[in-house]
Amino acid sequence: MPDFQTAKAAASGRWLEIHSYMGVPSEALSTKHTECPGCGGTDRFRYLDDEHGGWICGQGGVPTGGDGFNLLAHIGFSKSDALHAVSQYLGLDWVMYSPEQWQEIEQRQQQAERAKHEATLSHEMHVLLQV
């Protein structure tokens, strides 16, 4: 199993695709202020789209942020699971996930998609009500 330093080096410049694959909603992978995929707060999250997967979340006045691994932790991955998932995605990890672990990752991706659709519907309803 690779360590974080090895995985970070291999992931450099590829965090956008990694985060997308790991279930971060596409709206959050923008440099514009948007809803946070971790804490859910509106207009407080910004993806930096740098080689390190940087991001910032205002979290109600107490900013947090970090690199690509920190974002995975912010959306609910344990540090160990994040390292395993990124390593496996990049082909660095010869240990395969169990079907249950893949199911959990797929559920997170589905939840992120549902949240995306709900946010879109909510915005559309808000716009319609203002007309």
Side-chain angles (χ1 to χ4, degrees):
M1 168 64 128
D3 59 15
F4 279 100
Q5 184 176 3
T6 302
K8 281 182 185 182
S12 181
R14 296 186 63 189
W15 282 108
L16 186 62
E17 70 184 82
I18 292 167
H19 286 142
S20 179
Y21 180 78
M22 298 295 169
V24 178
S26 58
E27 290 80 20
L29 299 175
S30 164
T31 56
K32 297 179 182 178
H33 287 260
T34 185
E35 181 177 330
C36 180
C39 70
T42 58
D43 200 33
R44 65 170 62 168
F45 182 84
R46 187 165 45 105
Y47 194 71
L48 300 179
D49 194 19
D50 61 13
E51 64 192 46
H52 307 291
W55 59 282
I56 299 169
C57 173
Q59 277 203 347
V62 183
T64 189
D67 66 12
F69 280 111
N70 295 122
L71 178 54
L72 292 175
H74 191 63
I75 67 168
F77 281 81
S78 70
K79 288 185 178 189
S80 174
D81 285 346
L83 177 58
H84 284 287
V86 170
S87 296
Q88 187 169 355
Y89 178 81
L90 295 171
L92 303 173
D93 190 2
W94 55 268
V95 176
M96 301 300 285
Y97 274 134
S98 70
E100 294 82 17
Q101 290 169 314
W102 276 119
Q103 184 177 15
E104 183 178 330
I105 289 171
E106 288 173 3
Q107 286 174 346
R108 286 183 186 163
Q109 291 171 334
Q110 290 170 356
Q111 288 172 344
E113 280 300 310
R114 276 195 298 275
K116 171 181 138 181
H117 292 297
E118 289 172 6
T120 301
L121 287 173
S122 174
H123 175 71
E124 289 175 359
M125 287 296 293
H126 179 72
V127 168
L128 287 172
L129 291 173
Q130 293 204 359
V131 174

